[in-house]
Amino acid sequence: MKVILASDHAGLELRQELVAALTARGVAHEDVGPVTRDSVDYPDFAARVSRAVASGEATLGVLVCGTGIGMSIVANKHKGIRAALCTTEFEARMARAHNDANVLCLGQRVVGAGVGRAILEAFLSTAFEGGRHERRVQMIREAESQG
């Protein structure tokens, strides 16, 4: 597994916490920034992570901004991306188990470092269940080509 992470300026500190958690857990990861609190455009960072996940360069992605909303909107514009904005561990588990989510979106202004780490752990440790959910995920894939 390889995880790619990015944020905007409003998600910098939480992203750094998540990078530290991945390092401590021994999970391969790539942190693509930014490196300062200078204002940046979140769509650029969401696109970079989404392209890496969609191409198979990374297995999963993590995006952090102030609320997680903007990142999730942009990520879900990319074919092959199923981004989930999660504020609880339960949402993260269900996003992976039932929706095969491949990008986790978090809001630094919404969840603190401890909750953010717990959500990330739930996201990483939950596998897609397949079965009855596979049909629905296939419907999502089909919807991508209709728009």
Side-chain angles (χ1 to χ4, degrees):
M1 174 190 318
K2 179 181 177 187
V3 178
I4 186 166
L5 305 92
S7 69
D8 67 0
H9 54 282
L12 178 71
E13 288 85 7
L14 179 56
R15 189 193 84 241
Q16 291 171 333
E17 287 282 337
L18 301 178
V19 167
L22 291 172
T23 300
R25 191 172 179 230
V27 175
H29 61 277
E30 180 180 2
D31 179 3
V32 295
V35 295
T36 70
R37 292 207 51 154
D38 295 342
S39 182
V40 297
D41 297 320
Y42 65 84
D44 293 335
F45 290 91
R48 182 160 181 197
V49 166
S50 297
R51 284 192 302 267
V53 172
S55 72
E57 176 188 331
T59 313
L60 297 171
V62 177
L63 293 167
V64 186
C65 63
T67 62
I69 296 169
M71 289 289 202
S72 65
I73 290 171
V74 175
N76 278 315
K77 297 292 183 185
H78 292 262
K79 186 173 182 158
I81 297 302
R82 291 172 303 283
L85 172 57
C86 298
T87 59
T88 67
E89 293 170 66
F90 176 75
E91 290 169 326
R93 283 192 301 273
M94 292 300 99
R96 290 285 301 132
H98 291 188
N99 306 114
D100 199 19
N102 51 13
V103 174
L104 171 64
C105 298
L106 296 167
Q108 179 174 304
R109 296 175 183 149
V110 179
V111 299
V115 173
R117 284 190 305 271
I119 292 169
L120 175 64
E121 177 61 33
F123 192 78
L124 297 180
S125 64
T126 304
F128 178 51
E129 290 178 2
R132 73 184 195 276
H133 305 293
E134 182 59 47
R135 178 174 57 87
R136 296 172 188 135
V137 171
Q138 182 57 38
M139 292 170 77
I140 294 169
R141 289 184 189 105
E142 291 167 5
E144 290 175 339
S145 61
Q146 295 173 6

